[in-house]
Amino acid sequence: MDKLKLIKLKEGLVTFFAPDVRFYSRGIFLEPAWAPVFYNPRMKLSRDIGVVIVEAFSDYLNRQELVVIEPLSATGIRGLRYLIENKGRVSKLILNDHNPLSYNVIRTNIKINKIEDFVEAYNLDAELLLYKLRSEGVRPDIIDLDPFGSPSYFLDTALKVIKHRGMICMTATDLPPLFGTYPLTAYRRYMAKVYRTEFYKECGVRILIGFVAREAARLDKGIYPLYSQATDHYIRLCVLVLKSRKEGLKALNKVGFLTYCNNCLFRNSSHGKIDSDCPICGNKVKVMGPLWLGTLWDKKFVKMALKSYIKKQYLDKRGVKLLRTMISEVDAPPFYYKTDTIAHKYMFSREISPTLIVEVHAKLGYASSLTHFDNKGFRSPLPIDDLVKLMKKVR
């Protein structure tokens, strides 16, 4: 601890010690990864939402006394908030970090919050910890993977350890591969082809879920997405894991491919035959996948999370808007459009408000919504040629 420059902070209802990011800055640049122990204050909103997701999971399955494991804990703040801000729901919290400095910070933060009776702390490799707990008969209700980079390295072990009808949450910050900037890395890491599109955030989420579904099916398990988010510099995903070959096949049947034309913006998803030519303009299409073609959220679950979020008035108010937008997206079509991309491609004199487009869709009886992925995005069931005709009428 003497080697660290720590400061005392409060986040949510938890007081804790974390590295002073300013002390480890390089000139005017602040990067949490430069500190000997990782703590990113910009992820507070993610942790706020994580708190209510734990409560929603408890209510969703009517399950109390949850066992929660965070194998990559750093300061432990995420897991500590799950425990302290969900009293009576989380009965046991297991924190771990391979970094000895992080381990010492975790122990200090447990002590100052006086929760030693509810928390175990380890200084082990993340996968080794999970296998150790499995050998001891520990089957957690929730495993939260919050690595620096990709969760893919830890997913296999987490799927083997999680209990039936448990939840695995994960953060992915390796966005360039998932968003199509580095397609070869995505192909190697997630075994999927992805290209850059205007709806790249949704593609990234669906690539990740598709990978999780395939990894789970290999272990005779199925997954069901409860919550998906792509904002700022990360993707956040929570899935229900079901120990069932039938559920594994059911999930695999929701994995398919996307064809996309960057000439006219046509897009279409498919589980079967894929045409190489765009049916609208005749241009060669790009094929992406395998990726998830099912729903990204469980509406009941997200509504429960929203109810909890509103109740906890100390949380970041941005979360309420985010969750409400997601609820509106659940029943709307996949693969959103963007007003600026359409305006540029079809040479509109100005962009049209996505809110106005959604209102026009509603008047015509079409399922449509805004999207949390992009403030210029909207969802529409119309093919691009019909959508452009509609937008020209409302300009």
Side-chain angles (χ1 to χ4, degrees), residues 140-339:
D141 300 276
I142 299 173
I143 297 176
D144 198 306
L145 302 172
D146 191 17
F148 184 76
S150 172
S152 64
Y153 308 113
F154 310 97
L155 183 60
D156 176 81
T157 313
L159 285 166
K160 290 174 180 174
V161 175
I162 195 75
K163 71 162 52 173
H164 173 59
R165 292 177 67 78
M167 179 173 67
I168 296 179
C169 295
M170 65 197 77
T171 307
T173 57
D174 59 328
L175 301 186
L178 286 167
F179 288 172
T181 304
Y182 300 133
L184 291 179
T185 304
Y187 188 63
R188 185 183 71 248
R189 192 172 291 166
Y190 298 102
M191 296 177 286
K193 289 188 176 182
V194 58
Y195 301 98
R196 189 75 171 187
T197 67
E198 69 272 20
F199 50 97
Y200 60 88
K201 289 185 178 180
E202 183 171 347
C203 284
V205 169
R206 291 184 180 276
I207 290 288
L208 180 58
I209 300 175
F211 175 75
V212 176
R214 286 179 287 141
E215 288 292 284
R218 186 175 56 81
L219 299 171
D220 294 331
K221 296 183 178 184
I223 61 108
Y224 175 69
L226 297 172
Y227 178 86
S228 304
Q229 176 190 347
T231 54
D232 300 323
H233 61 284
Y234 64 92
I235 288 174
R236 186 76 175 153
L237 173 64
C238 298
V239 299
L240 184 69
V241 181
L242 307 161
K243 190 177 180 180
S244 163
R245 294 178 181 177
K246 181 179 178 181
E247 292 295 337
L249 288 171
K250 185 177 178 181
L252 282 182
N253 287 332
K254 294 179 181 178
V255 175
F257 294 87
L258 172 71
T259 53
Y260 172 72
C261 175
N262 59 11
N263 182 55
C264 71
L265 308 182
F266 166 81
R267 73 283 311 269
N268 184 54
S269 58
S270 172
H271 295 279
K273 183 181 177 181
I274 299 172
D275 294 323
S276 60
D277 296 329
C278 175
I280 294 179
C281 71
N283 196 53
K284 293 292 182 183
V285 297
K286 291 182 177 179
V287 180
M288 286 180 272
L291 77 172
W292 182 257
L293 298 178
T295 181
L296 300 180
W297 305 272
D298 180 282
K299 182 180 278 189
K300 177 183 176 183
F301 183 87
V302 181
K303 282 185 175 181
M304 286 178 168
L306 175 61
K307 181 180 179 181
S308 173
Y309 204 103
I310 293 172
K311 181 176 62 178
K312 299 178 190 295
Q313 297 186 4
Y314 58 87
L315 301 178
D316 190 325
K317 301 305 179 186
R318 291 179 297 163
V320 173
K321 181 180 179 181
L322 197 65
L323 292 168
R324 282 178 173 159
T325 303
M326 290 174 182
I327 291 169
S328 74
E329 290 187 77
V330 174
D331 299 320
F335 304 112
Y336 62 90
Y337 294 97
K338 285 186 63 181
T339 55

